[in-house]
Amino acid sequence: MIKKVLRMGHPKLQTPAQPITTFDTEQLHQLIADLFETMKATGGVGLAAPQIGVCLQVIVFGFTKSTRYPDAKPIPDTVLINPRYTPINDEQVDYMEGCLSIPGMRGLVRRYRNIHYEGFDPYGNRLEGDVHDFHARVLQHEIDHLNGTLNIERLASLKYFGFEPEIIETMRNCVLQP
Ligand code: NI
C-alpha cells in the first residue's frame, strides 16, 4: 500500500529506530512491500521505515532510471535490515542531495565515497558488501534516517540549500572548492 511520507518536523523522523529481532514475519514482509510501493510511487531512490511512520531498522533502495537523479547509475532493488556501515577510507564527495521528507528541496551534502555495509535480509540471512559513489551515498542517507538524522543536518552551508530547480541551477554555475 502506498503510505504517506512524513515530512521534516515530524517527531518520528527524529527518533532512533528499533532493531528487528524476529525475521520472516507477515508484518515485516508487508512493511517492505509498502516501502517499495511508496518509494516507487514518489519517484524516490531509497526509503527508510521511519519515513512512513514505522520506527524499525528497515531500509529499501534501488532504481533503474531516476528522474530525480538522472546522472546516477542504476542500483538493484535492495532491502537491508539492522544495517551498519563503516567507511573504507577517508575519501568524501559532495553532491546535491534530496530527501522525500523534505520535498522540492536539495542541499549539498558531503559523504563517504566508499563504504562497507552489513545487515540482514528479510529472512535473517547476513548481508555485507562494499559500495561506492551514489550507491554508498544512498545507503548512508537511509541509515541516517534510522538514527533520526536528516540530510540537512549534514549541510556544509545553508547557501548550498534551496528549492529545486533553482539551487541545482545555481550550483551548476559554481566552482566548488573540495
Ligand atoms: Ni531521506
Side-chain angles (χ1 to χ4, degrees):
M1 195 192 296
I2 298 172
K3 300 288 186 179
K4 186 180 163 197
V5 177
L6 303 182
R7 298 196 301 180
M8 181 175 69
H10 195 289
K12 284 188 174 174
L13 294 174
Q14 301 174 356
T15 308
Q18 296 299 308
I20 294 286
T21 51
T22 313
F23 292 87
D24 196 20
T25 62
E26 202 176 311
Q27 296 95 312
L28 180 58
H29 291 301
Q30 187 58 54
L31 169 62
I32 291 162
D34 290 346
L35 284 167
F36 272 119
E37 207 176 331
T38 306
M39 180 181 83
K40 304 283 178 190
T42 48
V45 296
L47 194 63
Q51 290 181 278
I52 60 167
V54 179
C55 288
L56 294 171
Q57 293 181 15
V58 180
I59 63 173
V60 303
F61 50 88
F63 63 94
T64 46
K65 182 100 188 105
S66 167
T67 47
R68 280 166 63 77
Y69 304 99
D71 54 339
K73 281 192 216 145
I75 299 174
D77 281 350
T78 309
V79 182
L80 265 186
I81 294 168
N82 304 347
R84 302 283 181 270
Y85 74 86
T86 45
I88 292 170
N89 54 35
D90 289 340
E91 200 180 342
Q92 294 188 305
V93 270
D94 292 323
Y95 189 73
M96 291 304 287
E97 193 181 290
C99 178
L100 294 175
S101 294
I102 313 170
M105 306 199 78
R106 292 284 173 105
L108 192 74
V109 179
R110 182 166 290 186
R111 294 200 187 269
Y112 291 108
R113 182 170 215 159
N114 308 292
I115 60 166
H116 180 79
Y117 71 87
E118 291 174 42
F120 296 89
D121 76 4
Y123 303 93
N125 301 307
R126 266 189 177 284
L127 295 174
E128 65 173 315
D130 293 345
V131 290
H132 314 280
D133 298 307
F134 191 72
H135 197 155
R137 174 173 297 275
V138 172
L139 250 141
Q140 289 169 83
H141 177 116
E142 300 310 332
I143 292 174
D144 266 358
H145 275 299
L146 302 183
N147 294 317
T149 300
L150 293 177
N151 64 350
I152 56 160
E153 293 172 58
R154 298 193 183 278
L155 288 178
S157 162
L158 276 173
K159 271 202 192 315
Y160 305 142
F161 178 67
F163 290 97
E164 301 165 343
E166 287 90 338
I167 192 67
I168 293 173
E169 193 54 39
T170 302
M171 295 306 291
R172 194 170 286 145
N173 299 326
C174 268
V175 177
L176 288 171
Q177 300 303 317

